[in-house]
Every structure is written in structure tokens, then in C-alpha cells.
Amino acid sequence: MPDAIPAPSTPLAARESLIGLSCAFGVTLVWAGFLLASRLSTQQPFTPWDVAALRYSGAFLVGLVLVARFGWPRLPFRRSLALLAGAAFGFPFASYIGFGFAPTSHGAVLMTGLLPFVTTGLATLFMGERWDARKLLSLSVVGLGIGLLATDTFGAHPGAWRGDLIFLIGCFSWASFTLLIRYWRVPAMTATLVLALYPAPLYLPVWWLFLPSRMAEAPLGVLSFQLVYHGLMAVVVAGFLFSRAVNLLGPARTTTITALAPALAALLAWPLLGEPLGMAGLAGVALVSAGMVLGVARR
């Protein structure tokens, strides 16, 4: 199955390519905020299980509104479970738990920075995707930039390896979701509704009965921010934009664009969370940006 879309030769193809690029860049912005909000939650009176509960509660409420407009998602039960395992549970839990051990830059590099490599590798292994020279050059530049980001920040946090291993699980989880969306051609709204509606009934009773919580200690403003960002932005908005981008651009091109998320998150974590970058980290941000441009630009 080819990943890249041919160069636009008709107004419709050009329009679809532009829509796909817009969606991919939109996801990049939301993901950068997601990384920061997840790291911030570890400095607030929440357990990782609380943040997940806020995510699923907010997404469920928005999902009910969308169902009234678009109807219930029509996707076989097994396919729905597969999408949930990767995007609804694997990726967010890796984020919420991992940030308890490691800083923003680690999660940014290992979950979103490595995503184009893991996605492309899995696509090659299971779907027979082929690497062309431009894709190889683009990923090489992105990889060098991610390496510089890692070099700049990974040595300053002893014990962060535990979070790093968890972040890798999150990366593979989202890569699997990406390929399944493409392979099954799941419409963006269908994928969004699945991710918004199904996790809450599965998770919230378990959280309420068995998991530790500190949510009662959190101020209303903090609760509202995490509920809205994780429930609306990270699930509904990002889920729709990402699914749309993958269907229009393909997995490799989409995840090459979203490789900008760690660069943005690392830059913003400096003033917002007090996690500075050195010269190697800034150079890494520049290289990731350049690699993204190479991967997106047409001949």
C-alpha cells in the first residue's frame, strides 16, 4: 500500500493535500500542549489515574454532543478495541505515568519524536511500504535533531529511565493506532467518536472503586483546565485532525510533521515549566524543523 500521495495534479487533489497538511500541523500544536499539560499535572494534586479520568469524562461529554449530530460510530467491535488499546489507553497512560519519572523533553522525544521512525518501520514490516530517497533524508535529519535534543537533556535527570521505557510503550501504541487507521480506512469522525465514547464506561468504574485519587484536593480552575484540555483538545480535536491527516497524507508524512511537537514542547517547557535547553537542544529543534520541511515539501 503506497504511503505518499502523488503530487497534486487536480484542484481536488491539491485541496485534499492542503487540508491534510493543515490537520497535521493542528495536531502538532495540540500535542505540544498535551505534553506540557501532562507534565504540569505531575506538579498538581492529581494521580495519573485522576488525569485519565478527567480525559475520559471530558471526551465522553463532547462525544455525546457529536453523537446527536453524526450518530453512533459504525465500526466493528474488534476494530474499536484495537483503536482503543493504542490511542485511548496505551498512549495517554504512558504519558501520565511516564511524566512522573521524567521531564517534558524526554516524553517529547520518545513519544512523538520517535513516532515517524516507529510508524515507518512498522509500515515497512507489515504493509510493505517502501522508503524513497526523500523520506530517508528527511527522517535522517529529524533523527539527528532528536538525538541532539536527547543529548542536551537526558543526562540531567537520574532515574528518568523508568519514564523513558514507559514513553516507548506509548510511542508504539500510537504508531499501531496510526497504521490501523490507514489500513482500515477509518473515517476521521468515526475514529474520534470511538475514542471519545468508549473509554469512559470501561475506565471510570474501575477508577472510582479501586484506584488512588487526589482529585478532591485540586482547585476548580485546575480541574477545569485539565478536563477541557485532555478531554476536548487531546481526544476529540487531536483525534479528528490526526485521523483526517493520516487518511489524506499517509502515516509517514503525517508523523514526520508531528515530529515538530517535541521541538515545540521542549521550547515552551523552558519558560513555562523551568526546564531549560542548551545549545545542543536548540540545534536539535532547528534540525527537527528542517527534517519536517524536507519530508513535507514536494519536488
Side-chain angles (χ1 to χ4, degrees):
M1 179 189 305
D3 180 20
I5 294 175
S9 57
T10 68
L12 178 60
R15 179 176 177 273
E16 289 186 346
S17 182
L18 181 59
I19 292 173
L21 291 172
S22 300
C23 290
F25 281 111
V27 171
T28 300
L29 294 175
V30 175
W31 274 5
F34 167 76
L35 293 166
L36 295 169
S38 298
R39 175 63 171 168
L40 178 63
S41 70
T42 66
Q43 303 171 14
Q44 296 171 335
F46 295 116
T47 67
W49 320 114
D50 292 336
V51 184
L54 291 171
R55 175 189 182 97
Y56 300 139
S57 300
F60 184 75
L61 294 175
V62 178
L64 292 178
V65 175
L66 295 175
V67 164
R69 171 66 177 85
F70 298 100
W72 204 262
R74 296 180 179 179
L75 192 68
F77 180 67
R78 289 184 178 180
R79 293 188 178 185
S80 297
L81 283 181
L83 298 185
L84 291 176
F89 295 116
F91 184 81
F93 274 120
S95 173
Y96 303 145
I97 297 173
F99 280 125
F101 300 102
T104 307
S105 56
H106 287 222
V109 167
L110 294 173
M111 283 201 301
T112 56
L114 291 183
L115 187 59
F117 304 93
V118 175
T119 302
T120 304
L122 292 177
T124 301
L125 184 62
F126 293 107
M127 298 182 181
E129 302 282 7
R130 291 183 295 179
W131 293 49
D132 58 26
R134 178 177 289 270
K135 181 187 296 186
L136 184 60
L137 176 61
S138 168
L139 290 179
S140 298
V141 175
V142 170
L144 180 58
I146 295 298
L148 286 173
L149 272 173
T151 300
D152 189 50
T153 59
F154 272 42
H157 301 276
W161 62 268
R162 292 168 291 181
D164 296 343
L165 292 178
I166 296 171
F167 291 145
L168 288 174
I169 295 173
C171 180
F172 276 89
S173 297
W174 193 271
S176 301
F177 166 75
T178 303
L179 296 181
L180 291 177
I181 286 290
R182 176 71 168 184
Y183 183 69
W184 289 331
R185 295 287 181 175
V186 181
M189 185 52 67
T190 299
T192 302
L193 289 171
V194 167
L195 298 182
L197 293 171
Y198 295 158
L202 295 173
Y203 175 79
L204 292 180
V206 177
W207 167 74
W208 182 262
L209 293 173
F210 303 110
L211 297 177
S213 174
R214 296 178 57 204
M215 197 178 293
E217 306 171 25
L220 181 59
V222 172
L223 276 172
S224 300
F225 169 76
Q226 296 290 2
L227 177 76
V228 171
Y229 202 93
H230 289 279
L232 172 62
M233 299 300 294
V235 176
V236 178
V237 174
F240 177 82
L241 293 177
F242 187 85
S243 302
R244 188 86 168 109
V246 168
N247 281 323
L248 290 173
L249 302 178
R253 200 166 176 221
T254 299
T255 53
T256 299
I257 296 172
T258 58
L260 272 177
L264 289 175
L267 282 175
L268 292 173
W270 191 345
L272 297 178
L273 300 177
E275 298 176 1
L277 282 177
M279 292 303 297
L282 293 173
V285 169
L287 282 173
V288 169
S289 304
M292 182 277 301
V293 171
L294 282 172
V296 173
R298 294 297 188 187
R299 287 182 178 85

